[in-house]
Amino acid sequence: MDYQFNDVEKKWRKYWSDHKTFKVGIDNNKPKFYVLDMFPYPSGAGLHVGHPLGYIASDIYARYKRLKGYNVLHPMGFDAYGLPAEQYAIQTGQHPAVTTANNIARYREQLDQMGFTYDWDREVRTCDPDYYHWTQWTFIQLFKSWYNRKTQQAERIESLVTHLEAYGTEGLDAACSLEQTLPPGTWSRLTEAEQQDFLMNYRLAYLSDTMVNWCPELGTVLANDEVREGYSVRGGHPVERKLMKQWLLRITAYAERLLSGLDQVDWSDSLKEMQRNWIGKSEGASVVFPVHEQEALQLEVFTTRPDTIFGATFMVVAPEHELLPLLTTPGQQNTVEAYVSQAKNRSERERMAEVKKISGEFTGSYAINPLSGEKIPVWVADYVLAGYGTGAIMAVPAHDSRDYAFARHFGLTIREVVSGGDISVESYDAKEGTLVNSDFINGLGVKEAVRAVISRLEETGQGRGTVNYRLRDAIFSRQRYWGEPFPVYYKDGLPYTLDEGELPLLLPDIDSFQPGRSGEAPLTRAKNWTNKEGYPLETNTMPGFAGSSGYYLRYMDPDNKQEYFSKEAVQYWQDVDLYIGGAEHATGHLIYARFWNKFLFDSGHSVKDEPFRKLVNQGMIQGRSSIAYQVKGKNEFVSFGLKDQYDTIPVNVDIRLVNQAGELDIEAFRNWRPDYTDAGMILEDGKFLCGHETEKMSKSLHNVVNPDELIEKYGADTFRLYEMFLGPIEQSKPWDTNGIEGVFRFIKKLWKLFHDQQNQLSLSPDAPTPAELKVLHRTIRKVEEDIERLSLNTVVSTFMICVNELSDLKCNKSAILSDLIVLISPFAPHIAEELWEMTGHRPSVANAAFPVFNPGYVRESVFEYPVSFNGKMRFRIALPLDAGIRDVESAVLASPEAQKWIPPGGPRKVIVVPGKIVNVVV
RNA sequence: GCGGAUGUGGCGUAAUUGGUAGCCGCGCCAGACUUAGGAUCUGGUGUCGAAAGACGUAUGGGUUCGAGUCCCUUCAUCCGCACCA
């Protein structure tokens, strides 16, 4: 009789839940530790083996920290609003609240099987009114705030009004959509509508006509991070540009802080780099070019290379540039208009696909280089983007490859101003070299020249040094049903927020979830969708990232009815110490959540500027698909080894039909699909072998491995250990169930350490031997070090080595085994609890203390020196560790093994690294 | 194109700081026990070689007494960004 994992695991899961073992609260006698998983969106497919990877790692860490004496907050919840549930509702008419609740129940059931230490009393769901109350509340605070660049933080809108009343816009340095000026003393003369309109330019949540990513198929706009290559990330539908009135969050106000904050957090370089690219800071100059013979007109450009200004031989404006009609001379009107309409009608996708195709037209106008006075032509071309910088550039073909290609194509002047390249062949884009053909900056290096040009421009008022960000404000409206309603009503066309006392504004029921194709939101169907005074409410809802931006704060105090979270709770829990989740949230959730938190920090609610101190991205678990090869045009399949003799197409086969060796169960295969009932099978050696492929784990590829089945067969402890044993958590790797048997054997071996051949508990009260203590304490040291650096795969190996060694020593001393139970409990909590109880301890082992490493037990007096000759290891020699370098050297040279390798002339040199190695140079 | 990461047996991987390459596990081979084994246990298993030994961490070079680890080159794979001025 072996270890009965099924009964034992059920018993302890019930114990934990009955005793609320993992319920936590504020405890000022213990240091806090906050371990967070990115909460899942509960999809209809349930969890596959890839999802729990991060959850298991974080749970191990949370359990470990508990053993180390920390008060650990380890909550879980659900990102419950979102598109898939709504798309499903549109197709089936089922209310998304119903499908979402079902999916959550299924997720919960799966999660509950894995022995996690979540405090479920703290669960949050973003679609729960008690939760989205505070999402709406934060929106109101954002609406009522502006960003003061002077103090580098958000402030209440009242302080802006006070400033405007007293000084107008004089001395104001605020994040805004459009620079506007208001002379002192004019504010109070503005009408209510004019004032509101003016303030909208500064609010951190604001309404604006914006070019948006409109997805007709989904009937909604999408944020930049929800669009990839012109298609929606969710669903893969085409996306087009459209001008719409939308709510936006002024995240750009925080661009600099979002960037500099990255230096303070312990995240992977690749993730930080992704965020840096997304923010896209570039430093340079804004330069004003007057237009020749049009006094009133001037073109402002942004350049990162002001040093190359003497090499600007033409200018280019985007087709959408607002001055283009004024720049176009009558003679050029027809060609320019034709070009612009063609450029505008091209979809985003066509535009992206034709990046390499050079096109443009001359406007007929000329601009004047403000430093050289040179007259240069102004062109229009779609390689200049309206949305970045000022939508116009000074083109320096000698030192910008795009300008170079354009100049070559249209035969424009190319003038070298930085030496170092060969501009007859290609542009020289590098930021190094000496300035030439450049008047007062000739002979300077690039960096000096940049500074010199900027200061000259600032002296003459023709430009200034500026910083540009690629980051855009976040579009916050969705024309969807299944999301948070905006706490906003409209009076005389102007938006006002509801009183905080009226929150939460509940999502109303509607008769159909269908969105309008031209952008009417489903909430326009809601009956009596007005505030208490009868003014119409906003019909858009908030996007998916709204609810996930502050959930980690709500976990600190999830039942609070009066506020988002109490001062006491946030003072205690502070921030997330360890955050584990997928890298796909690098530019979405993680930027928005940092922004959300920084705003709450400025307004005195959260207490840390950065919410996630350490962040780890777990790698993706890929599927291992089984492939059968179908003979083209026939209902006939050919075994893997023979497939090259036929013309075949690969067909994904359900991985359950294939055994470890890749052999297909033909009977099952024929029953799998009606089409294959009569399929011909060409065998090799009497078998049908399948090929395999590593690809995404998905239902459609029939390669999904379900954790429930594995837990049923091997138990949750084995499953947890095996997921960790696969390799480093950050690494992506294909799932292969084959190795799980090894971990299963390990669990059984562990059980056997405590039991005799009749499966009776058999422990010895005797004092441990030095050999046993050495094994135990080596394990303690390694386990502790490796958990600290989240190297969990090596910890599993360490346990295996430890149990192998203790088995060899036939060790059944309780003193040793009790410590081993605690060590292993974060990884295999169920068997640990059972053994803990059996060895006479009071449950739960989760409340035990982590064993303390004693270096005295692992200290050695003798070391087996590896002796190498010219760096190649030849033999070992055991010597006392306190032997001096000279003693070691002579002992090695005198040893019989060494004679074989020492040439007649003797060694040239001997290197002894005490306690490490000896290298003889011959 | 730019940026980041990764490359080690048949497979997943290991190797604190430059110091014994291949730990642990899968698979495979042999053996023991067994009516049986897809259970369990024992031994073996980088490549070539009978052995001695030689070779070996994607490639080529370098630094070093010594390189999987540091530097340079090339290649491959994955991820992110992509006309960002």
Side-chain angles (χ1 to χ4, degrees):
Chain A
M1 261 273 276
D2 270 339
Y3 169 52
Q4 295 299 306
F5 61 85
N6 261 327
D7 303 338
V8 169
E9 292 194 346
K10 267 193 208 99
K11 168 181 160 187
W12 288 105
R13 272 179 229 135
K14 182 166 187 316
Y15 178 92
W16 295 326
S17 126
D18 288 352
H19 292 77
K20 288 200 183 285
T21 308
F22 303 113
K23 187 169 174 59
V24 284
I26 293 172
D27 179 352
N28 286 306
N29 297 316
K30 280 186 183 174
K32 70 96 188 185
F33 201 89
Y34 189 172
V35 180
L36 183 64
D37 294 298
M38 287 185 188
F39 66 168
Y41 176 84
S43 78
L47 295 169
H48 66 62
V49 290
H51 296 111
L53 187 73
Y55 304 155
I56 294 169
S58 65
D59 195 64
I60 288 168
Y61 203 78
R63 283 178 177 271
Y64 166 76
K65 279 288 172 183
R66 263 182 81 103
L67 298 175
K68 281 291 206 177
Y70 288 86
N71 190 29
V72 178
L73 177 58
H74 188 216
M76 183 48 102
F78 298 95
D79 187 13
Y81 270 141
L83 275 176
E86 185 163 353
Q87 288 302 103
Y88 189 72
I90 291 167
Q91 285 159 24
T92 65
Q94 270 229 59
H95 198 288
V98 175
T99 47
T100 301
N102 289 343
N103 291 350
I104 287 177
R106 168 93 182 104
Y107 265 58
R108 178 66 195 274
E109 199 182 301
Q110 288 186 296
L111 290 170
D112 277 345
Q113 286 183 64
M114 298 182 199
F116 292 137
T117 56
Y118 296 128
D119 177 1
W120 282 108
D121 290 349
R122 290 178 184 261
E123 176 188 342
V124 300
R125 300 180 182 193
T126 55
C127 65
D128 183 344
D130 280 343
Y131 180 86
Y132 68 70
H133 183 152
W134 304 106
T135 310
Q136 292 173 334
W137 176 86
T138 310
F139 176 84
I140 292 175
Q141 311 311 312
L142 285 161
F143 180 79
K144 291 183 174 171
S145 300
W146 65 293
Y147 195 84
N148 188 345
R149 283 203 227 270
K150 279 190 175 162
T151 56
Q152 274 296 308
Q153 62 172 10
E155 293 180 13
R156 302 288 299 180
I157 203 80
E158 288 82 3
S159 74
L160 176 63
V161 173
T162 309
H163 184 106
L164 292 170
E165 277 168 350
Y167 314 107
T169 50
E170 226 163 72
L172 183 72
D173 191 6
C176 58
S177 309
L178 253 182
E179 291 291 346
Q180 29 184 22
T181 42
L182 186 76
T186 44
W187 173 256
S188 54
R189 293 206 294 269
L190 298 180
T191 64
E192 161 83 7
E194 284 168 338
Q195 287 186 344
Q196 288 303 317
D197 201 44
F198 195 90
L199 291 178
M200 196 57 95
N201 192 40
Y202 299 93
R203 294 182 189 276
L204 292 183
Y206 65 97
L207 197 57
S208 169
D209 280 314
T210 326
M211 271 296 181
V212 297
N213 304 305
W214 170 251
C215 178
E217 207 58 44
L218 293 172
T220 190
V221 307
L222 298 168
N224 287 338
D225 64 278
E226 292 167 329
V227 180
R228 190 169 299 160
E229 287 171 20
Y231 292 88
S232 65
V233 171
R234 282 242 154 108
H237 306 293
V239 172
E240 52 194 54
R241 307 287 287 169
K242 191 175 176 180
L243 194 70
M244 286 176 83
K245 203 171 215 43
Q246 301 287 315
W247 284 100
L248 290 100
L249 300 186
R250 202 178 300 284
I251 189 171
T252 49
Y254 283 85
E256 189 57 40
R257 279 170 65 190
L258 288 169
L259 189 65
S260 61
L262 291 172
D263 297 334
Q264 296 151 34
V265 292
D266 182 5
W267 296 11
S268 72
D269 287 340
S270 66
L271 192 61
K272 286 187 186 183
E273 206 48 38
M274 266 190 242
Q275 292 223 337
R276 288 195 188 104
N277 290 340
W278 193 257
I279 296 165
K281 179 180 183 173
S282 46
E283 290 174 82
S286 129
V287 188
V288 175
F289 284 66
V291 177
H292 182 61
E293 288 174 344
Q294 293 206 62
E295 304 285 295
L297 276 188
Q298 50 185 35
L299 266 179
E300 189 179 350
V301 303
F302 173 73
T303 176
T304 54
R305 296 293 302 277
D307 57 307
T308 62
I309 190 164
F310 290 96
T313 52
F314 59 100
M315 300 189 74
V316 186
V317 300
E320 296 88 350
H321 199 277
E322 53 177 354
L323 297 182
L324 181 59
L326 299 172
L327 289 166
T328 308
T329 57
Q332 293 300 103
Q333 193 135 358
N334 289 342
T335 44
V336 168
E337 274 174 10
Y339 179 74
V340 168
S341 78
Q342 176 225 329
K344 279 187 177 163
N345 285 333
R346 264 204 308 169
S347 71
E348 274 298 286
R349 271 163 298 127
E350 285 168 331
R351 190 164 162 163
M352 280 186 224
E354 292 170 10
V355 161
K356 293 281 173 285
K357 216 164 128 187
I358 295 163
S359 68
E361 288 294 340
F362 176 47
T363 63
S365 287
Y366 291 85
I368 305 297
N369 186 320
L371 290 191
S372 68
E374 190 185 356
K375 191 177 131 190
I376 55 176
V378 180
W379 286 66
V380 56
D382 68 359
Y383 83 92
V384 172
L385 304 177
Y388 184 79
T390 61
I393 61 157
M394 63 174 209
V396 184
H399 305 289
D400 181 290
S401 52
R402 295 152 303 176
D403 298 342
Y404 188 87
F406 193 82
R408 269 289 159 94
H409 190 261
F410 289 106
L412 299 164
T413 316
I414 300 172
R415 183 191 309 135
E416 179 180 54
V417 288
V418 182
S419 63
D422 179 1
I423 60 152
S424 65
V425 185
E426 57 178 359
S427 65
Y428 179 65
D429 296 18
K431 291 185 183 180
E432 47 200 58
T434 308
L435 272 290
V436 295
N437 300 325
S438 294
D439 194 9
F440 69 98
I441 50 171
N442 275 333
L444 295 183
V446 167
K447 271 188 188 155
E448 295 80 17
V450 167
R451 277 197 293 271
V453 168
I454 289 176
S455 59
R456 174 67 63 93
L457 288 168
E458 285 176 349
E459 277 163 33
T460 59
Q462 291 158 312
R464 65 206 152 84
T466 50
V467 175
N468 230 296
Y469 298 93
R470 201 187 73 109
L471 185 71
R472 305 285 85 179
D473 280 342
I475 297 165
F476 205 59
S477 304
R478 295 292 182 274
Q479 294 68 45
R480 302 304 304 233
Y481 172 70
W482 192 233
E484 299 87 348
F486 281 85
V488 168
Y489 64 92
Y490 291 87
K491 188 164 129 187
D492 305 326
L494 291 175
Y496 294 89
T497 53
L498 298 177
D499 288 338
E500 289 176 18
E502 296 174 75
L503 300 183
L505 172 62
L506 297 179
L507 181 66
D509 271 321
I510 53 173
D511 53 12
S512 158
F513 305 108
Q514 207 71 43
R517 283 198 70 85
S518 49
E520 308 87 49
L523 286 191
T524 52
R525 299 173 200 272
K527 293 202 179 76
N528 307 321
W529 189 234
T530 59
N531 78 340
K532 57 180 190 271
E533 290 143 331
Y535 291 111
L537 289 162
E538 168 69 60
T539 55
N540 285 315
T541 54
M542 298 186 196
F545 65 82
S548 57
S549 290
Y551 75 112
Y552 53 93
L553 291 164
R554 183 66 179 169
Y555 280 139
M556 295 176 180
D557 194 9
D559 299 321
N560 199 323
K561 299 272 184 210
Q562 273 70 51
E563 45 190 346
Y564 203 161
F565 44 86
S566 71
K567 270 251 162 326
E568 193 198 5
V570 76
Q571 275 301 336
Y572 184 73
W573 296 113
Q574 301 260 321
D575 55 355
V576 175
D577 294 282
L578 174 65
Y579 195 20
I580 298 188
E584 65 272 22
H585 297 108
T587 49
H589 162 63
L590 286 172
I591 289 252
Y592 297 125
R594 291 178 64 219
F595 159 71
W596 196 269
N597 183 77
K598 280 177 191 295
F599 169 70
L600 290 170
F601 176 70
D602 287 354
S603 53
H605 295 96
S606 65
V607 297
K608 286 287 179 91
D609 189 34
E610 284 293 336
F612 312 123
R613 187 192 302 259
K614 182 180 170 74
L615 187 138
V616 174
N617 288 128
Q618 88 263 23
M620 254 217 323
I621 300 265
Q622 291 134 314
R624 190 186 141 110
S625 309
S626 285
I627 313 286
Y629 299 87
Q630 181 169 21
V631 181
K632 241 180 212 170
K634 286 187 176 173
N635 193 9
E636 190 169 38
F637 292 81
V638 54
S639 183
F640 181 74
L642 306 172
K643 74 178 165 69
D644 294 339
Q645 300 167 23
Y646 299 81
D647 188 12
T648 60
I649 43 169
V651 174
N652 278 60
V653 174
D654 192 321
I655 47 166
R656 273 171 277 219
L657 308 179
V658 180
N659 73 6
Q660 280 195 24
E663 193 184 332
L664 181 72
D665 180 340
I666 294 169
E667 184 71 26
F669 175 72
R670 286 192 168 134
N671 291 330
W672 181 45
R673 294 243 158 131
D675 307 2
Y676 300 152
T677 312
D678 307 316
M681 309 302 284
I682 302 169
L683 310 181
E684 56 181 311
D685 303 331
K687 295 176 199 163
F688 188 93
L689 299 178
C690 290
H692 62 87
E693 199 84 54
T694 297
E695 46 198 355
K696 206 181 135 194
M697 199 173 274
S698 98
K699 244 181 180 170
S700 60
L701 298 171
H702 307 292
N703 60 2
V704 174
V705 180
N706 182 311
D708 311 25
E709 290 168 21
L710 291 172
I711 289 171
E712 169 79 30
K713 196 163 169 202
Y714 300 103
D717 287 337
T718 297
F719 179 70
R720 288 167 65 108
L721 283 164
Y722 186 57
E723 286 246 349
M724 295 300 100
F725 189 60
L726 283 176
I729 20 171
E730 308 91 327
Q731 224 164 77
S732 288
K733 55 230 149 191
W735 178 267
D736 183 1
T737 303
N738 287 339
I740 200 169
E741 295 279 352
V743 176
F744 190 48
R745 263 176 227 140
F746 160 75
I747 285 284
K748 288 191 275 193
K749 232 168 156 176
L750 173 69
W751 182 259
K752 277 184 196 154
L753 262 187
F754 292 75
H755 294 82
D756 61 19
Q757 311 235 306
Q758 283 72 48
N759 201 29
Q760 294 300 306
L761 187 71
S762 156
L763 290 176
S764 154
D766 297 348
T769 65
E772 290 165 345
L773 285 166
K774 190 184 281 178
V775 170
L776 175 68
H777 281 262
R778 266 199 208 136
T779 305
I780 295 172
R781 177 173 58 189
K782 177 86 174 144
V783 168
E784 182 165 352
E785 278 173 6
D786 285 2
I787 295 181
E788 287 289 354
R789 58 187 178 105
L790 282 167
S791 170
L792 303 179
N793 53 327
T794 54
V795 178
V796 181
S797 298
T798 303
F799 288 139
M800 291 176 171
I801 293 167
C802 176
V803 168
N804 287 347
E805 287 176 348
L806 291 178
S807 300
D808 290 345
L809 291 168
K810 304 213 178 344
C811 170
N812 66 341
K813 310 276 169 66
S814 3
I816 299 285
L817 296 185
S818 294
D819 278 356
L820 176 61
I821 295 169
V822 180
L823 286 182
I824 219 163
S825 67
F827 287 76
H830 307 85
I831 192 172
E833 289 281 19
E834 182 73 5
L835 292 170
W836 190 245
E837 189 185 50
M838 291 174 82
T839 51
H841 298 87
R842 261 190 65 217
S844 153
V845 71
N847 298 323
F850 197 83
V852 178
F853 170 65
N854 181 343
Y857 291 132
V858 299
R859 204 161 282 148
E860 307 266 359
S861 57
V862 173
F863 179 70
E864 281 239 313
Y865 276 92
V867 180
S868 46
F869 288 76
N870 292 342
K872 205 85 189 136
M873 209 279 286
R874 296 303 177 185
F875 63 91
R876 276 171 235 274
I877 180 168
L879 294 168
L881 260 176
D882 54 8
I885 290 180
R886 297 221 162 270
D887 302 334
V888 172
E889 182 175 333
S890 46
V892 164
L893 294 181
S895 72
E897 298 97 320
Q899 305 320 311
K900 191 169 152 195
W901 300 99
I902 299 172
R908 276 208 283 156
K909 196 175 173 189
V910 180
I911 288 136
V912 177
V913 184
K916 276 259 161 89
I917 199 167
V918 178
N919 190 23
V920 184
V921 188
V922 294

